Amino acid sequence: MTTNLLVKYLSLLIGGMMVLVLASCKDDELSPDFDEPEVNITIPTEDEVKTTVGKTYAVLGEHFDEVTPYVMKRMTGQRYSYSPAATELADNVEIVFLDYDALMEISEEMVYEIKEVFDRGGAVYLHRPNALALMFFDLVMYDELDDFMAWLEEQLKDGGAQTKAGGKSNPLERDSYIIRRNDHLDLRDIYNGEQVTIERFVTEETEDGNEQTHAVTESLTPDEPSDYEYGLFAEKVAEWLNGETKTRASDGEMLNSAALETILLPCVLKRQFDEKTFTCQAELKVWVSTLYNFETKQDYYHVLLEETYPGDKFKFGQYYSKKVNKWGQRQKAAGYTYGGLYVKPTLDTEGYTLKDMWNPQPENEGAIQKIETIDGWNLNSQLGYSDGLTALLTGGFTHQQTVSNVSKEININLQKSGTGYYWKYDIPHKYEYSKGAISAVTNGKLISEPDKNSISTTVCKTRQSWNWLVNNTERRGNKAFYMDLALTLYAKHAYFAKFRAGHEESVYNNPKLRIELPVPNRFTKNYSVVADNYQDDKEMELIQTFLNSVREYKDISKGYCAPEEKILDRQMEERWNKMLKTLESFGSKFSGLKNAYTFRLKDNKGKQIGRNLRISNKGVNKY
């Protein structure tokens, strides 16, 4: 009896010890990937020169930092170095580099030399411009150099130029600004040592296996970009400098395409776990076509945006895997894919009435191609076109810059907000880890990755377009409106730490990206050629027949327009002077004339524009 009880007690004791041993083994079980090597994929640091620019260039100044030295590293053409006080540039210069200090010391002769480079299709590169520098570009575009030099001389007397232009302490958040005719590259400031606000949406798995999402806003102070990161921006600048330039054409060809602004936007990413920051660039292009209705006194704008996101630069795959305890539990992270964007344009009308914003593209079902009409604009209304010519309205409008259909990977949501619209684009998560369980020593496995051709990890382009109509702008003259663009770009990644989770976070977040719109040609008037010394009808008829055979002369009689009267007068004077130069080569045709004839260009108020044209048996002269 005693023996049997002892056997039972021993059996229970041994069984209990086995349970404890088994439980202990379960708790001490190593992770199945215990021996996997740790992963910590680094971000490149060395500049990678892939694009070079073989054009001849001139450098004025020596205070270049951040991206500009990396751009110059890619310049392989002949270099000329000049003092800003110099009076001439080599005839073959195609690009001019200017720093701010050089601009403040520049001679009047050098300004005209730079203008000649610009007029023959060259580019002017300004490093860290402030408001004064951007005023310079604007005046160069509209040929108001005399006004600029007078203004600059006045401001330099008391050092007031820096204050009135914003000063060196306010570089308008630009690293550089480059201009050629009808095409600008705006490189926003990449590094200023200030904090960047990050908007983050975190989707986490809870202990019961469900998921929950919450939003977090945080700030980070990025390190100064590496040579590699600065080089990425320099590559885009070099590509732009290699692009086609538009030479100064005559008449309506001078502004025959929509104004184009290209903006490079610094995108800052802070990676999960290793907390390494990475700065790269997205690209925003803005095309704007304008019309002005001289009858209704309205501005019309057709705006098209294009965002280019470098998903290939942000793709690291599973870039982090590290053991965090003795059993081999790991933290893992994989990313980054393009998550989408938010776009909301607003026109700052400065008190003017925005009559309408219509035809937003793409709509939720995709882009729709259709002829646009403008409510209230009658046929045969006189319009001022962006190419500098006037014409009568004959029907609807079509635009060359179209909006492509949206990729099937992108979910688009167009919403109306007050008198405007906004777009939300979403690209679903591509990286995903398997589910974990807190009671088991397991690590998530990477069970989903983007396809190699996924739009989320390649260069992704998205477009939007719409129209604006603004009332009663006839007195606004040569003053532009501004567009405020709320723009956010998102990146997505997945991570695992006991439980799987996913993040969507902003890499660029600007609630008010301010962009200047081109000024519509709001002014027009008539010009005519008036003949003096009318002595012989037959001779005059011969001269008139010949003049009408010269294209430059016939073009004078076209209808022209400009933002304001003084600009139009200046442009007409240039057209007239060009015609005079052309006619000088035909002087021998008039050797048989008995009389001399004088022609003048006058506006509809009788004011003379430009010099006189004199035709006689001694040839063609201007005086």
Side-chain angles (χ1 to χ4, degrees), residues 260-273:
L260 171 60
E261 185 93 4
T262 303
I263 306 173
L264 297 185
L265 306 172
C267 298
V268 179
L269 173 72
K270 183 178 181 181
R271 296 200 314 195
Q272 180 81 9
F273 294 139

Side-chain angles (χ1 to χ4, degrees), residues 37-81:
E38 293 192 350
V39 177
N40 191 356
I41 295 177
T42 59
I43 298 172
T45 58
E46 299 295 324
D47 183 17
E48 299 177 0
V49 178
K50 298 178 180 178
T51 306
T52 58
V53 181
K55 298 181 178 182
T56 303
Y57 64 105
V59 178
L60 283 73
E62 53 188 22
H63 301 129
F64 299 100
D65 60 5
E66 295 196 9
V67 172
T68 304
Y70 296 87
V71 175
M72 290 185 175
K73 180 180 177 181
R74 288 159 169 79
M75 301 297 298
T76 59
Q78 184 177 3
R79 170 174 173 156
Y80 296 96
S81 295

Side-chain angles (χ1 to χ4, degrees), residues 226-329:
S226 65
D227 292 342
Y228 172 73
E229 292 164 312
Y230 276 137
L232 293 176
F233 287 85
E235 284 288 308
K236 298 300 293 185
V237 175
E239 291 173 8
W240 188 90
L241 290 173
N242 278 329
E244 295 183 1
T245 59
K246 298 181 184 298
T247 58
R248 176 89 180 240
S250 62
D251 305 333
E253 297 175 1
M254 192 170 70
L255 296 172
N256 64 355
S257 63
L260 171 60
E261 185 93 4
T262 303
I263 306 173
L264 297 185
L265 306 172
C267 298
V268 179
L269 173 72
K270 183 178 181 181
R271 296 200 314 195
Q272 180 81 9
F273 294 139
D274 68 5
E275 298 189 345
K276 293 178 180 177
T277 59
F278 175 56
T279 302
C280 191
Q281 86 290 328
E283 182 180 87
L284 174 67
K285 287 187 175 182
V286 185
W287 289 271
V288 184
S289 301
T290 65
L291 291 171
Y292 181 76
N293 190 315
F294 291 103
E295 293 183 6
T296 63
K297 315 300 183 186
Q298 292 173 315
D299 285 0
Y300 164 87
Y301 300 89
H302 174 72
V303 185
L304 185 141
L305 303 181
E306 179 183 87
E307 306 85 16
T308 303
Y309 183 87
D312 54 332
K313 298 295 189 298
F314 287 98
K315 182 184 178 183
F316 302 107
Q318 180 170 285
Y319 64 86
Y320 188 87
S321 176
K322 185 176 181 179
K323 287 184 287 189
V324 294
N325 57 31
K326 65 180 181 179
W327 297 291
Q329 286 183 311

Side-chain angles (χ1 to χ4, degrees), residues 370-389:
K370 58 185 178 183
I371 296 176
E372 298 173 356
T373 58
I374 303 175
D375 186 34
W377 285 23
N378 299 319
L379 291 179
N380 296 320
S381 296
Q382 187 181 33
L383 305 182
Y385 286 79
S386 56
D387 63 1
L389 290 171

Side-chain angles (χ1 to χ4, degrees), residues 185-204:
L185 179 64
D186 185 350
L187 177 53
R188 296 300 166 114
D189 195 21
I190 299 170
Y191 175 73
N192 55 18
E194 297 179 359
Q195 288 187 334
V196 176
T197 300
I198 301 296
E199 184 181 46
R200 178 173 292 167
F201 299 93
V202 185
T203 302
E204 295 179 317

